[in-house]
Amino acid sequence: MTGVFDGAGLVELAQRVTKPAHLVAHERDGALGLSDRPIPGAVGTVPALYPEWLGDQSFTEAHDVRFPYVAGEMAHGITGVELVEAMARAEMLAFFGTAGLGLERLDRELERLRTRLAGRRNWGVNLIHHPDDAAMEDAVAARLLRAGVPKISLSAFLDITPAVVRCAASGLRTDTTGRIIRKTALFAKVSRPETAELFMSPPPPGLVRRLVDTGEITEEEGRLVSRIPVADDITVEADSGGHTDGRPLVSILPAVLSLARRKSPGVRVGAAGGLGDPAAVSAAFALGAAYVLTGSVNQMSREAAVSDEAKTMLAQAGVADVAMAPAGDMFELGAKVQVLRRGTMFAGRAARLYQLYLEHPSLESLPAETRESLEREVLGAGLDEVWRRTEEYWAQRRPSEITRAQADPKHRMALVFRWYLGNSVTWAVDGTPGRRSDYQLWCGPAAGAFNTWTAGSFLAEPGGRTVTQLARNLLQGAAVLTRVHQLRALGARLPSDAFDFRPRPLV
């Protein structure tokens, strides 16, 4: 082949990323085409590119992985043991989602993870902030450290808490050169520069001193943790499923990268939010991300611990089929999460509950017509019955909530409404018959982008959607688009088909 200047052959050469591409000039008009080998008159060469080379190579070295890719935690164990194990065995990284799980189940799942992934360091577990329950946050942190979890992803934190410092300090030591070695790698998921800065800095001295004085960390651990950032990896979460500030990645990621260069150059900054097709993943790396983290798309994988009915609903989503809804864990604060809108009425019903909470001081103050409508159309049970079930739950989880509710009618109303928000996740995970219209499925536009990209391919079929094939194809596609952009920037005249990477089985 002396040179290809148009058609399918040019697309094939442009997308063959693991081989060098040689730029050649057409003898008549000088237009640049491609050759698969050096030939006389070649004007340049673009070297081979592998998906493994995207991002920051220090990320793959630090975390014992082959690819700069993370499957992020999803609450209620949706990112479960099977998914975490599959990613670890494929030389990638995933975080088990602990939010919403009781401590007994967490203990069981941690034991399963330790047994299945013995000897491996490329897996982790999530620690989510509990703004109204510091004891629960501390209990989860203690269990993760006791279980020897190699990596912890911190999410929803707006400040540094004692649990965070314990995780950062636990097991710190120095090697023979004096370099500080972490026993537990910490990732911090943030969506604001001011929050990112907290995790790029050493923890507050007063908090460290308090933990040393109470014996929760040793004097040596306190000394060492005061010399390093709280987390070595900062995941910038843009508009996404679940908790989100709704900021666009192209704005927030560069701001945090700039902060890291000034504040803590050794910290790696990754990207999350809206990553549902190769174009988005490629763009994240082009912006400077050290790694990428996906969420919404992984719910559609075979390994995700959510019902087949929920996966089918997600597989039908378009990029606009999402909505904001009140967050169950931060209901009274007015926090919101992004959820699937198509096929479920959860977002509208949850919004109605929050509006009623704002407008009324108690359940008893609700007009009779409103009360009846609420029981029939939203809760599916009488308010008295819902309160009985709510009491049973909090009696086991945190009895002080019941005491507070008895003294504060508005808090009692909030707990009843949160019963619906919490159970709507369980109904989706379990595929509860008759509750499909109430499914709460955390989902951002990435799910729709993924469905558009995979339409007509093997990844459109539920059986082909393994979490590792999703990851490998997103990365391979990102490598292809990176190469195509390089060639175009150098002057090659490429057809639009060159930018269309189609999913394929990868090994």
Side-chain angles (χ1 to χ4, degrees):
M1 182 183 293
T2 58
V4 180
F5 297 90
D6 55 33
L10 185 59
V11 172
E12 180 184 355
L13 287 179
Q15 293 194 353
R16 195 183 298 173
V17 296
T18 58
K19 302 291 184 183
H22 306 279
L23 290 158
V24 294
H26 197 283
E27 58 187 11
R28 287 200 313 271
D29 60 9
L32 292 183
L34 300 177
S35 171
D36 62 351
R37 57 188 175 84
I39 60 174
V43 298
T45 297
V46 175
L49 173 64
Y50 288 81
E52 293 92 322
W53 298 350
L54 298 169
D56 188 336
Q57 294 300 296
S58 71
F59 177 86
T60 54
E61 294 168 1
H63 298 298
D64 300 314
V65 292
R66 177 181 170 190
F67 301 99
Y69 184 101
V70 180
E73 62 272 11
M74 298 203 76
H76 289 257
I78 293 174
T79 304
V81 173
E82 285 71 24
L83 195 154
V84 173
E85 180 183 9
M87 289 291 286
R89 295 190 183 281
E91 300 178 273
M92 288 182 273
L93 175 61
F95 287 102
F96 179 89
T98 64
L101 301 184
L103 294 176
E104 289 186 7
R105 181 179 170 190
L106 176 58
D107 287 336
R108 293 195 302 270
E109 302 291 32
L110 287 175
E111 185 57 32
R112 291 176 67 203
L113 285 165
R114 290 179 58 197
T115 301
R116 294 193 185 191
L117 297 172
R120 291 181 178 270
R121 300 283 301 169
N122 60 324
W123 62 276
V125 178
N126 169 230
L127 174 64
I128 192 168
H129 180 40
H130 291 262
D132 60 346
D133 193 354
M136 182 66 171
E137 185 175 302
D138 290 338
V140 173
R143 281 164 165 78
L144 303 190
L145 295 174
R146 188 164 60 243
V149 173
K151 305 182 195 305
I152 296 174
S153 176
L154 308 166
S155 59
F157 285 87
L158 297 178
D159 206 346
I160 306 302
T161 69
V164 168
V165 179
R166 282 190 63 196
C167 292
S170 178
L172 288 179
R173 61 181 179 83
T174 56
D175 63 14
T176 55
T177 67
R179 183 169 64 100
I180 298 174
I181 306 297
R182 290 186 187 268
K183 179 182 179 183
T184 307
L186 293 194
F187 287 63
K189 189 180 286 185
V190 304
S191 56
R192 301 181 182 187
E194 58 267 30
T195 309
E197 186 170 7
L198 294 175
F199 288 96
M200 293 177 185
S201 309
L207 187 50
V208 174
R209 185 71 256 165
R210 192 180 99 197
L211 292 174
V212 170
D213 290 343
T214 58
E216 294 173 82
I217 63 176
T218 68
E219 191 77 43
E220 177 67 0
E221 288 171 339
R223 184 180 69 82
L224 294 177
V225 80
S226 299
R227 293 168 47 192
I228 58 175
V230 172
D232 282 337
D233 295 273
I234 306 293
T235 304
V236 176
E237 186 175 27
D239 183 47
S240 65
H243 293 286
T244 175
D245 278 342
R247 287 168 172 76
L249 190 65
V250 293
S251 299
I252 185 64
L253 181 59
V256 176
L257 283 165
S258 176
L259 177 65
R261 286 192 292 270
R262 300 192 312 271
K263 180 73 179 180
S264 188
V267 167
R268 292 174 291 269
V269 178
L275 306 182
D277 61 17
V281 175
S282 174
F285 284 124
L287 286 168
Y291 59 94
V292 293
L293 181 147
T294 57
S296 298
V297 299
N298 299 321
Q299 286 186 100
M300 293 181 273
S301 71
R302 222 160 55 192
E303 297 87 352
V306 67
S307 67
D308 289 341
E309 189 171 19
K311 292 177 185 178
T312 298
M313 292 168 65
L314 288 163
Q316 296 169 351
V319 292
D321 291 331
V322 294
M324 300 304 296
D329 57 344
M330 300 181 187
F331 179 82
E332 289 157 283
L333 299 176
K336 293 186 176 181
V337 291
Q338 193 161 212
V339 298
L340 181 68
R341 177 173 57 84
R342 181 173 180 173
T344 170
M345 300 179 71
F346 168 77
R349 289 172 174 174
R352 181 184 177 190
L353 292 177
Y354 187 65
Q355 191 61 36
L356 290 172
Y357 171 76
L358 293 178
E359 295 173 350
H360 297 276
S362 67
L363 293 172
E364 290 71 23
S365 69
L366 295 174
E369 183 178 345
T370 300
R371 181 185 181 105
E372 292 170 6
S373 172
L374 198 59
E375 293 174 337
R376 181 180 66 255
E377 298 172 7
V378 180
L379 301 177
L383 283 168
D384 292 339
E385 172 61 18
V386 172
W387 172 243
R388 184 188 66 77
R389 299 177 191 177
T390 301
E391 276 190 305
E392 289 179 353
Y393 172 81
W394 288 111
Q396 297 179 1
R397 177 76 176 265
R398 194 162 72 244
S400 60
E401 290 292 339
I402 300 173
T403 303
R404 179 183 169 191
Q406 290 170 341
D408 181 358
K410 196 169 184 71
H411 184 61
R412 179 170 175 263
M413 178 167 56
L415 292 183
V416 167
F417 291 170
R418 285 172 60 184
W419 172 91
Y420 172 78
L421 272 65
N423 277 282
S424 62
V425 180
T426 304
W427 296 329
V429 169
D430 296 341
T432 303
R435 281 293 193 172
R436 187 179 189 275
S437 63
D438 295 298
Y439 285 4
Q440 180 180 182
L441 291 166
W442 299 298
C443 171
F450 177 81
N451 291 329
T452 299
W453 169 54
T454 59
S457 75
F458 88 104
L459 284 180
E461 300 301 321
R465 286 181 165 180
T466 67
V467 70
T468 55
Q469 281 298 322
L470 304 189
R472 292 292 303 275
N473 272 272
L474 285 170
L475 285 171
Q476 184 71 24
V480 166
L481 291 182
T482 300
R483 157 66 71 82
V484 171
H485 281 294
Q486 290 173 342
L487 292 171
R488 187 171 70 169
L490 292 171
R493 295 183 182 178
L494 301 174
S496 60
D497 287 353
F499 293 87
D500 183 22
F501 173 82
R502 302 303 299 152
R504 63 207 61 176
L506 297 171
V507 294

